[in-house]
Amino acid sequence: MRHRSAAVVSIAVIAALSLSACGSRGDKKSGDGGGSGGGSTVTIGIDAPLTGDLSAIGIGIRNSVELAVKKANETNEVPGVKFQIKALDDTAKPGPGQQNATQLVGDKSVVGVVGPLNSSVAQSMQQIFADANLVEISPANTGVALSQGEKWVTGEKKRPFKTYFRTATTDAVQGPFAAQFLAKDAKKSKVFLIDDQKTYGAGLAATFKAEFTKQGGSIVGEEHVNPDDRDFAAIVTKVKTSGAEAVYYGGEYPAAGPLSLQLKDAGVNIPLMGGDGMQSADFIKLNPKSAGDFATAVGGPVEQLPTAAKFIADYKAAGYKDPYETYGGYSYDSSWAIIQAVKSVVTANNGKLPADPRAAVVDAVQKVSFDGVTGKVSFDEFGDTTNKQLTVYTVKDGKWDVEKTGTFSG
């Protein structure tokens, strides 16, 4: 929500190098992966918002990819191959994301890309990566059309790009999972629906609405905001007079925090619920009255997964000053999928990396299957994760607390 070879000396890379200091202890360069020695050096690109409102999540993504690369180098995961990262900042906007995709494609050392955070940014990148046979794995995109085509809602599913994968589950299950929770568990029958008009937010709100009404609930009002809006006085008044028992917000934490706070300040003491783009510690920082609000997140709670214990310990030991955030585990697993694909390609080529491995890496990612930080990592025919688990969190005692973990029963 939110790379390259060390030989590149463009302004963009210089910026990325300086940003890496914000995501780590400040003594590493963006290309550092913790390995040494000869052989081939390949790059895993990263595209994420490293500055701006969503940078907390973006830096967590960057750090987690760097950690995976460091561990692969330390253990010589792929004999004869050293990995490095190249992190570019998309500021959570499609334009910069598209430019970053072009830069990554142009760097021949890049064998795969982790990112982006935002579904709208992914839309601007997919064709560029596909044309170059360069795999991208998002740890965070949930917009369904990215993998199943624009007609997925009618049941006509068609994968647009074979180079696109994700370790996060989609809004086809996240929105309905939230709707079932509010209707069945929280016993809310009237919801005011708000979205930020972005690909992610609008899509999430739409799938929530369909399932909530199916459950017998009523949408008592609908409004659209801009992602940069911070004054919600008019909407607060509408919510207050609507009789809503909860608000569902399709969007991300920079707007969701102030929206919830302004509702509470106006005496509208009902929960605000959103998706994984809201489930950040920064939401709570922005809203000191967020107790009782809800958010869904993809997968199970990383802190409670036995498979994540080593990742959490390694992340702490690495000394990153910023948390891994919502998508840290999924970013690590996305990176490891690329690493395992490279390993498969090298093994199939008599222990050597082909001169141009990109197409082979794409095919190998499709076949990966391993036990990752977030559980079993593998992809279906659309490039979507086979892990469909989700979690509902609630704000309690100043932090996100697990409310419910499960899968959507459609």
Side-chain angles (χ1 to χ4, degrees):
M1 283 155 349
R2 47 166 154 140
H3 279 348
R4 305 202 178 129
S5 99
V8 180
V9 292
S10 66
I11 293 175
V13 173
I14 293 172
L17 294 178
S18 64
L19 283 166
S20 70
C22 298
S24 62
R25 289 171 290 179
D27 57 351
K28 302 176 186 175
K29 294 181 180 179
S30 183
D32 288 348
S36 61
S40 302
T41 297
V42 299
T43 305
I44 294 179
I46 305 167
D47 178 85
L50 302 177
T51 59
D53 287 341
L54 294 172
S55 61
I57 292 179
I59 290 172
I61 290 173
R62 197 212 78 92
N63 290 350
S64 300
V65 176
E66 181 184 70
L67 182 62
V69 164
K70 179 180 180 180
K71 292 302 174 182
N73 289 336
E74 287 178 350
T75 60
N76 197 27
E77 182 68 22
V78 185
V81 176
K82 174 186 174 183
F83 294 90
Q84 63 182 11
I85 65 168
K86 193 168 188 178
L88 296 183
D89 180 14
D90 63 26
T91 67
K93 294 182 175 61
Q98 188 174 62
Q99 294 169 9
N100 291 347
T102 300
Q103 290 186 45
L104 287 166
V105 163
D107 183 344
K108 297 305 180 184
S109 76
V110 177
V111 294
V113 177
V114 176
L117 167 67
N118 304 87
S119 294
S120 56
V121 176
Q123 284 180 318
S124 74
M125 308 174 86
Q126 285 181 302
Q127 187 67 61
I128 297 170
F129 289 137
D131 289 345
N133 284 319
L134 183 59
V135 70
E136 67 169 317
I137 308 180
S138 173
N141 293 163
T142 55
V144 189
L146 294 170
S147 58
Q148 299 180 24
E150 295 294 340
K151 297 181 180 179
W152 71 271
V153 73
T154 67
E156 184 180 338
K157 300 179 181 180
K158 184 178 180 180
R159 187 176 184 177
F161 303 101
K162 67 175 291 187
T163 51
Y164 178 82
F165 298 83
R166 54 177 143 202
T167 52
T169 196
T170 73
D171 293 332
V173 293
Q174 184 176 201
F177 185 72
Q180 287 189 355
F181 171 80
L182 276 185
K184 294 181 177 181
D185 297 271
K187 306 298 183 183
K188 306 298 183 184
S189 61
K190 299 177 181 179
V191 168
F192 198 102
L193 189 64
I194 305 170
D195 73 75
D196 66 359
Q197 305 179 77
K198 291 170 65 176
T199 301
Y200 164 73
L204 190 61
T207 57
F208 171 89
K209 179 180 179 180
E211 181 63 26
F212 190 70
T213 54
K214 181 180 177 181
Q215 293 293 327
S218 300
I219 303 297
V220 295
E222 292 187 58
E223 284 292 334
H224 308 286
V225 299
N226 293 314
D228 296 330
D229 287 350
R230 297 295 181 267
D231 182 355
F232 302 104
I235 290 179
V236 167
T237 299
K238 292 180 180 180
V239 174
K240 194 171 186 177
T241 59
S242 70
E245 298 168 343
V247 172
Y248 188 81
Y249 178 69
E252 295 147 332
Y253 68 82
L259 171 61
S260 177
L261 179 59
Q262 290 171 41
L263 283 165
K264 307 300 193 294
D265 283 343
V268 188
N269 294 310
I270 59 177
L272 182 141
M273 186 173 194
D276 53 331
M278 194 178 101
Q279 201 263 316
S280 166
D282 279 28
F283 172 81
I284 300 171
K285 293 178 183 177
L286 291 168
N287 180 12
K289 297 182 179 181
S290 56
D293 285 346
F294 299 107
T296 50
V298 297
V302 170
E303 292 75 14
Q304 296 183 15
L305 295 175
T307 52
K310 188 175 187 306
F311 163 74
I312 294 172
D314 288 345
Y315 193 95
K316 182 178 181 180
Y320 295 114
K321 71 180 184 66
D322 299 287
Y324 51 79
E325 278 282 356
T326 306
Y327 304 109
Y330 300 94
S331 301
Y332 191 101
D333 285 347
S334 296
S335 312
W336 207 253
I338 295 172
I339 291 166
Q340 291 304 303
V342 171
K343 184 176 183 178
S344 176
V345 170
V346 168
T347 300
N349 195 49
N350 298 316
K352 295 182 179 180
L353 189 72
D356 185 3
R358 287 180 174 179
V361 170
V362 172
D363 292 338
V365 167
Q366 184 66 62
K367 300 173 185 177
V368 298
S369 180
F370 61 91
D371 294 322
V373 172
T374 59
K376 192 72 174 181
V377 178
S378 60
F379 304 100
D380 64 17
E381 69 270 29
F382 300 105
D384 288 332
T385 178
T386 55
N387 184 352
K388 308 296 184 184
Q389 192 174 50
L390 296 116
T391 301
V392 175
Y393 293 85
T394 187
V395 179
K396 184 178 180 181
D397 298 328
K399 62 182 181 63
W400 289 107
D401 194 50
V402 176
E403 183 78 14
K404 177 182 180 181
T405 298
T407 56
F408 169 64
S409 54

